[in-house]
């Protein structure tokens, strides 16, 4: 009961805080005018974000993973571009409290706090995780073929910067990501070098958190310093292709194991229960009678 009271208090506090912030904004029409006069206004946060800000120092790794997921979600759907990790965690907390209280009330047990809370926590992250995961998989799939295309373009003797500019015009997630990187560069160093350090390509790869893109950026820096660019790109394409095939085989093995468990749970066990009820119960009655 105490847990339910705490969750209700958090839910009420969040609702009151949100309503108060909206009321203040409406009651003071001069707020917008004052903000427009400020040359560099402070970052405006949504009320839901303040719910999760204290957790940003307690679980920074979780906020970092959400930031990387938002990078790819915004890459595929612009509607995610204005979202922040604090917003995602804030809505997780509010949904956790709401579903926890609701399920506990429906079941009449404090166990509903855990059931509803866990459901709300994972439900409000699943859409973001799904979009980010799909984008990462597409990048991994396209990388070997993209490197092969770069190797073919290198036959003209052009530099890596020019090669990447040419192949970025093709279709796919990886070319679209590279076009984004090129638009951010604006004449700055694209690849890593001893003089300038990490280039824009490496910086964006690190922001994305994609291990294959980070490896790609590092290898492009090494390839730029070498003379046999085409051979290097062909070798990298083979390496990434072998890595992708190996990961696919591992996922296939895991899927086979998972299917075996699912068959046992949803086919064998119900079948066994039916057999015991149909045959076992009459036998027990016969021997006991």
């Amino acid at each position: 009961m105490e847990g339910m009271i705490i969750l209700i208090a958090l839910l009420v506090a969040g609702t009151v805080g949100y309503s108060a912030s909206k009321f203040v904004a409406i009651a003071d029409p001069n707020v917008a005018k004052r903000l427009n006069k400020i040359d560099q206004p402070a970052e405006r946060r949504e009320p839901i974000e303040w719910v999760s800000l204290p957790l940003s120092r307690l679980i920074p790794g979780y906020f970092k993973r959400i930031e990387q997921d938002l990078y790819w979600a915004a890459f595929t759907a612009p509607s995610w571009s204005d979202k922040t990790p604090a917003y995602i965690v804030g809505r997780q907390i509010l949904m956790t409290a709401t579903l926890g209280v609701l399920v506990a009330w429906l079941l009449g047990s404090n166990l509903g706090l855990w059931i509803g809370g866990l459901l709300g926590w994972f439900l409000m992250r699943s859409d973001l995780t799904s979009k980010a995961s799909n984008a990462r998989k597409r990048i991994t799939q396209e990388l070997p073929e993209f490197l092969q295309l770069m190797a073919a373009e290198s036959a003209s003797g052009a530099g890596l910067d020019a090669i990447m500019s040419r192949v970025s015009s093709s279709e796919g997630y990886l070319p679209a990501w590279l076009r984004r990187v090129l638009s951010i560069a604006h004449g700055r160093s694209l690849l890593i070098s001893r003089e300038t350090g990490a280039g824009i390509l490496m910086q964006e790869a690190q922001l994305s958190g994609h291990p294959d893109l980070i490896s790609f950026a590092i290898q492009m820096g090494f390839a730029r310093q070498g003379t046999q660019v085409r051979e290097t790109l062909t070798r990298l394409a083979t390496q990434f292709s072998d890595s992708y095939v190996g990961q696919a085989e591992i996922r296939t093995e895991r899927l086979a194991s998972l299917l075996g468990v699912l068959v046992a749970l949803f086919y064998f066990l119900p079948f066994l229960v039916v057999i015991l009820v149909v045959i076992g119960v009459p036998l027990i009655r016969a021997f006991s009678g």
Side-chain angles (χ1 to χ4, degrees):
M1 183 61 67
E2 294 180 358
M4 185 182 297
I5 294 175
I6 293 174
L7 287 176
I8 294 175
L10 290 174
L11 183 60
V12 172
T15 304
V16 171
Y18 179 79
S19 302
S21 65
K22 293 296 182 181
F23 173 77
V24 171
I26 296 173
D28 189 359
N30 295 321
V31 171
K33 296 181 179 179
R34 291 200 302 268
L35 289 177
N36 290 333
K37 295 180 181 179
I38 300 176
D39 293 332
Q40 294 180 349
E43 182 182 358
R44 184 172 179 244
R45 296 186 181 276
E46 294 289 339
I48 194 175
E49 296 183 76
W50 293 104
V51 178
S52 62
L53 284 178
L55 295 178
S56 60
R57 295 183 179 180
L58 298 177
I59 49 175
Y62 186 71
F63 275 71
K64 182 65 176 179
R65 290 193 296 272
I66 293 179
E67 184 179 4
Q68 293 172 352
D69 286 347
L70 284 172
Y71 180 96
W72 289 112
F75 177 77
T76 57
S79 59
W80 289 93
S81 58
D82 60 339
K83 301 298 186 294
T84 64
Y87 174 86
I88 300 299
V89 177
R91 71 175 191 170
Q92 283 184 285
I93 293 174
L94 292 180
M95 183 57 71
T96 296
T98 302
L99 286 185
V101 172
L102 180 61
V103 175
W105 176 72
L106 292 175
L107 297 180
S109 172
N110 287 338
L111 182 61
L113 292 174
W114 294 98
I115 298 175
L118 290 175
L119 180 62
W121 181 263
F122 291 107
L123 183 64
M124 298 309 291
R125 175 77 190 277
S126 61
D127 55 345
L128 173 63
T129 303
S130 176
K131 286 185 175 295
S133 178
N134 290 336
R136 291 190 182 99
K137 290 178 181 178
R138 286 287 300 272
I139 293 291
T140 300
Q141 292 173 359
E142 295 176 2
L143 190 53
E145 184 179 355
F146 187 78
L147 285 168
Q148 289 285 3
L149 182 60
M150 288 183 62
E153 287 288 340
S154 65
S156 63
L160 273 178
D161 290 26
I163 292 173
M164 284 192 284
S165 179
R166 292 176 185 174
V167 297
S168 65
S169 60
S170 57
E171 297 293 330
Y173 276 43
L174 184 52
W177 179 81
L178 187 55
R179 287 196 297 271
R180 175 180 177 177
V181 174
L182 291 172
S183 65
I184 294 173
H186 287 302
R188 291 178 291 175
S189 177
L190 182 63
L191 300 174
I192 187 172
S193 65
R194 297 178 181 177
E195 294 78 12
T196 60
I200 303 300
L201 184 67
M202 173 58 73
Q203 294 176 14
E204 284 297 308
Q206 290 175 340
L207 284 176
S208 71
H210 198 305
D212 289 340
L213 286 181
I214 295 175
S215 177
F216 169 72
I218 294 174
Q219 296 297 335
M220 289 302 98
F222 292 152
R224 183 181 188 181
Q225 300 172 5
T227 56
Q228 299 178 342
V229 176
R230 185 174 185 180
E231 289 76 5
T232 302
L233 292 173
T234 303
R235 176 175 53 81
L236 289 176
T238 303
Q239 290 179 359
F240 279 110
S241 178
D242 293 341
S243 175
Y244 176 74
V245 171
Q247 293 176 5
E249 291 177 351
I250 293 174
R251 289 195 297 268
T252 302
E253 294 177 357
R254 291 177 179 175
L255 179 61
S257 301
L258 179 61
L259 289 176
V261 174
L262 294 177
V263 168
L265 288 177
F266 296 101
Y267 176 76
F268 179 73
L269 288 181
F271 178 76
L272 182 61
V273 170
V274 171
I275 294 299
L276 290 176
V277 171
V278 174
I279 300 177
V281 172
L283 287 177
I284 293 174
R285 290 178 178 177
F287 283 111
S288 61

